[in-house]
């Protein structure tokens, strides 16, 4: 019986597309718990690719060459544990399990440790690019057992997106390094999506542009920014609803959902004592959007803000600056958190390489990733992107343009939460003096928590009463 190079479990759209992608260069066996989904996939999607359909776990495992390589494309959380448990009776020493879902990094650490004790090798692999990327080439972020990665590297490289610098995949580090990097990728994604949403809100409410006009604005800006998220925003603005002929964006309810990776980024940042306010604003904005009925009821109790009178050309320039500025800050926050996590968890991350594999295939790909690579090539241990020669001068100029924008938004009742957070973060990082001395005095006043002095070494407490 023919033995296949790799197996894949989980035939959702992502799993199906990744299987078809892998099958261009490698033989693959697929399995899904629901048999009808496997049959539909083989009947409707598979043409001449070398894909075997397995309808039982034992058949699936026996179809694979040893050491077996099994990729899981299933929902994060308990389902991953259940599938792993169901596989274990059929596996042998040195077989490799590859979790390609958005698993929490601590779950990945736990699974790797448990499987290592059983002689099974484990890779936590972040995959970004959505359905299109899965089929045509995603950005792939593997971490875990390094020897296991070496055995699947060719398969992942062939499946990944390609640039002139190579395949958008690289071994990132031990344990949960891959899933951690993917989590931060998604956190940055939350931040940039919210930045774009706020600019859209300003364009429609203050400048009162129509969707087609906004689409033109975003498309023009993207000639310089070269951002996937800006590109799709321009296309969204142009899309007509096939049912009504109206612009589809105007018919979509303003309640944003989330799957948890953005929240996990914020939770991890708090655990590691690292500020990521722009990313945090992206998460908070989705939470506020979800209470639609409450917002409608609240709005009825307040007078509507009067629209600020602005110069359209000048404001469009300011909005473009805000998009660049806040996007750079979102990346800066993400890489700062990656640096902190790498030191805490001994990932030994290569930040230049992370920026390289994000250049294509993934959701946050943009022209900003090339100067980010240059910045880390100059100094792999830099503390923040804001002080690098690639960004410092631009950020300083654009920060000065944001104050009027934020003022007119406030006058018009338009929240710019992420953009404002980005500016405050920038101003905080370049502030020699912050008011934390008052906070320490307050803490000492009510809780005797002590403080340090500017003029003497040591720790002090005062009887403030």
């Amino acid at each position: 019986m023919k033995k296949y190079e790799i197996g894949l479990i989980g035939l959702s759209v992502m799993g199906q597309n990744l299987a078809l992608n892998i099958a261009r260069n490698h033989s693959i066996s697929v399995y899904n718990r629901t048999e009808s989904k496997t049959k539909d996939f083989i009947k409707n999607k598979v043409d001449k690719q070398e894909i075997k359909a397995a309808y039982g776990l034992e058949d699936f495992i026996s179809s694979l060459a040893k050491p077996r390589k099994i990729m899981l494309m299933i929902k994060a959380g308990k389902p991953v544990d259940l599938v792993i448990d169901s596989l274990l009776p059929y596996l042998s020493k040195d077989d490799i399990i590859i979790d390609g879902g958005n698993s929490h990094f601590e779950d990945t650490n736990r699974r790797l440790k448990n499987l290592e004790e059983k002689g099974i090798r484990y890779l936590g692999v972040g995959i970004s690019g959505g359905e299109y990327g899965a089929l045509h080439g995603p950005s792939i972020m593997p971490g875990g057992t390094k020897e296991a990665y070496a055995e699947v590297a060719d398969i992942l490289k062939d499946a990944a997106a390609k640039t002139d610098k190579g395949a958008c995949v690289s071994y990132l580090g031990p344990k949960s390094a891959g899933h951690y990097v993917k989590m931060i990728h998604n956190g940055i994604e939350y931040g940039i999506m919210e930045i774009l949403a706020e600019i859209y809100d300003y364009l429609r409410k203050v400048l009162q542009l129509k969707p087609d006009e906004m689409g033109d604005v975003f498309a023009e800006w993207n000639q310089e920014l070269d951002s996937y998220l800006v590109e799709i925003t321009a296309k969204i603005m142009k899309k007509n609803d096939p049912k009504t002929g109206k612009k589809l964006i105007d018919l979509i309810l303003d309640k944003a959902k989330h799957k948890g990776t953005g929240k996990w980024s914020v939770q991890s940042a708090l655990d590691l004592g690292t500020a990521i306010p722009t990313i945090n604003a992206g998460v908070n904005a989705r939470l506020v959007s979800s209470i639609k009925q409450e917002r409608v009821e609240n709005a009825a109790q307040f007078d509507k803000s009067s629209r600020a009178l602005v110069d359209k050309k000048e404001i469009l320039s300011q909005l473009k600056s805000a998009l660049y500025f806040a996007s750079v800050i979102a990346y800066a926050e993400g890489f700062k958190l990656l640096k902190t996590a790498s030191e805490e968890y001994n990932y030994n991350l290569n930040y230049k390489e992370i920026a390289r594999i994000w250049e294509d295939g993934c959701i946050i790909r943009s022209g900003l990733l090339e100067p980010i690579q240059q910045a880390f090539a100059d100094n792999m241990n830099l503390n923040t992107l804001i002080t690098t020669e690639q960004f410092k001068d631009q950020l300083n100029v654009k920060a000065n343009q944001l104050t009027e924008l934020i003022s007119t938004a406030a006058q018009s009742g338009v929240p710019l939460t992420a953009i404002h957070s980005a500016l405050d973060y920038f101003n905080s990082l370049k502030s020699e003096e912050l008011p934390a001395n008052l906070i320490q005095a307050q803490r000492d006043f009510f809780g005797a928590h002590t403080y340090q002095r500017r003029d003497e070494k040591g720790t002090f407490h005062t009887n403030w009463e």
Side-chain angles (χ1 to χ4, degrees):
M1 186 175 118
K2 177 179 172 60
K3 299 295 183 181
Y4 290 76
E5 292 176 73
I6 188 169
L8 184 144
I9 297 177
L11 292 174
S12 64
V13 176
M14 279 287 289
Q16 289 183 23
N17 284 358
L18 190 62
L20 292 170
N21 180 344
I22 291 171
R24 293 191 190 104
N25 299 288
H26 302 272
S27 61
I28 183 170
S29 178
V30 298
Y31 170 78
N32 195 83
R33 187 183 62 175
T34 308
E35 192 173 301
S36 60
K37 186 167 278 191
T38 307
K39 289 179 176 176
D40 288 344
F41 170 61
I42 296 297
K43 179 181 177 182
N44 299 317
K45 296 290 182 69
V46 177
D47 185 14
K48 296 179 181 178
Q49 299 96 330
E50 194 170 0
I51 298 179
K52 172 184 167 54
Y55 296 100
L57 272 181
E58 193 168 359
D59 176 38
F60 172 73
I61 298 295
S62 65
S63 71
L64 302 176
K66 291 186 177 181
R68 303 175 185 97
K69 305 168 186 70
I70 301 167
M71 176 165 273
L72 310 183
M73 293 298 293
I74 56 180
K75 187 178 179 182
K78 192 174 181 181
V80 177
D81 291 315
L82 292 174
V83 170
I84 291 172
D85 289 344
S86 69
L87 287 171
L88 283 175
Y90 305 103
L91 298 182
S92 306
K93 186 176 183 296
D94 290 333
D95 285 347
I96 301 167
I97 295 176
I98 308 157
D99 179 7
N102 277 332
S103 288
H104 192 277
F105 73 99
E106 289 180 342
D107 286 340
T108 301
N109 287 334
R110 170 178 55 80
R111 290 169 188 144
L112 190 144
K113 184 174 182 294
N114 291 341
L115 288 168
E116 201 171 51
E117 292 169 357
K118 297 175 172 62
I120 307 299
R121 295 176 290 173
Y122 193 72
L123 293 170
V125 177
I127 299 176
S128 176
E131 298 168 12
Y132 182 89
L135 181 61
H136 298 283
S139 174
I140 304 177
M141 296 156 253
T145 310
K146 191 170 186 179
E147 296 76 15
Y149 172 72
E151 294 188 33
V152 300
D154 287 345
I155 297 173
L156 297 181
K157 286 175 182 176
D158 287 338
K162 310 292 189 300
T163 71
D164 57 2
K165 298 171 188 170
C168 293
V169 57
S170 186
Y171 176 75
L172 296 179
K175 301 180 289 185
S176 56
H179 275 147
Y180 195 94
V181 170
K182 175 55 163 52
M183 180 181 77
I184 302 310
H185 165 285
N186 286 22
I188 296 168
E189 179 185 305
Y190 272 60
I192 296 174
M193 288 172 73
E194 174 59 19
I195 292 159
L196 285 163
E198 291 171 8
I199 290 171
Y200 154 72
D201 206 25
Y202 191 104
L203 288 171
R204 65 173 175 167
K205 290 179 179 175
V206 182
L207 292 186
Q208 296 192 319
L209 298 189
K210 300 297 182 187
D212 272 326
E213 296 174 292
M214 289 187 267
D216 291 338
V217 168
F218 284 118
E220 182 187 336
W221 290 350
N222 204 42
Q223 292 177 18
E224 184 179 329
L225 295 166
D226 192 23
S227 159
Y228 172 72
L229 284 169
V230 179
E231 175 191 332
I232 67 168
T233 302
K235 291 177 179 178
I236 287 166
M237 295 299 149
K238 296 284 188 176
K239 184 70 174 177
N240 293 323
D241 173 38
K243 294 180 181 177
T244 65
K246 298 176 180 178
K247 290 299 176 189
L248 185 54
I249 187 64
D250 291 336
L251 301 175
I252 297 175
L253 187 65
D254 57 322
K255 287 175 67 172
K257 296 182 179 180
H258 63 100
K259 290 187 175 180
T261 45
K263 177 184 72 175
W264 295 344
S265 297
V266 172
Q267 289 172 332
S268 179
L270 292 172
D271 290 340
L272 294 172
T274 301
I276 53 168
T278 311
I279 294 170
N280 191 14
V283 176
N284 283 337
R286 295 197 192 189
L287 299 178
V288 173
S289 80
S290 69
I291 52 171
K292 171 69 173 179
Q293 186 57 38
E294 182 180 335
R295 290 188 287 114
V296 170
E297 292 169 0
N298 292 345
Q301 299 183 51
F302 296 93
D303 294 333
K304 288 191 181 296
S305 301
S306 56
R307 185 166 59 92
L309 297 176
V310 297
D311 180 275
K312 179 181 175 182
K313 185 177 179 181
E314 188 176 329
I315 285 294
L316 284 173
S317 174
Q318 292 171 8
L319 287 166
K320 183 181 178 183
S321 292
L323 176 55
Y324 172 90
F325 177 92
S327 296
V328 171
I329 296 297
Y331 282 109
E333 291 174 9
F335 277 98
K336 179 73 169 180
L337 183 51
L338 285 174
K339 184 175 189 290
T340 308
S342 184
E343 293 167 356
E344 178 70 19
Y345 303 133
N346 298 313
Y347 288 148
N348 194 28
L349 295 176
N350 183 325
Y351 313 108
K352 177 176 178 286
E353 185 68 354
I354 291 169
R356 183 194 72 78
I357 66 172
W358 284 351
E359 272 200 297
D360 201 0
C362 75
I363 305 302
I364 63 170
R365 61 186 185 265
S366 82
L368 292 173
L369 288 160
E370 174 60 35
I372 289 173
Q373 289 172 69
Q374 293 168 4
F376 283 112
D378 293 343
N379 179 9
M380 187 60 76
N381 296 311
L382 63 88
N383 285 317
T384 175
L385 286 168
I386 75 163
T387 58
T388 63
E389 67 176 60
Q390 286 79 12
F391 297 110
K392 181 173 67 175
D393 293 342
Q394 285 252 53
L395 289 174
N396 210 38
V397 169
K398 294 184 188 307
N400 293 327
Q401 294 181 288
L402 261 59
T403 51
E404 183 184 347
L405 175 69
I406 289 170
S407 175
T408 57
Q411 291 172 44
S412 307
V414 176
L416 300 182
T417 316
I419 294 170
H420 208 314
S421 296
L423 182 60
D424 285 344
Y425 179 71
F426 177 74
N427 286 334
S428 296
L429 281 186
K430 66 185 185 73
S431 290
E432 188 176 344
E433 291 280 336
L434 287 171
N437 52 327
L438 175 57
I439 292 170
Q440 280 302 94
Q442 292 166 337
R443 293 178 75 243
D444 190 56
F445 191 111
F446 64 70
H449 294 297
T450 73
Y451 55 89
Q452 294 172 288
R453 294 177 63 102
R454 300 173 190 267
D455 55 349
E456 295 181 49
K457 289 186 177 181
T459 302
F460 300 88
H461 167 61
T462 293
N463 183 355
W464 295 90
E465 296 281 24

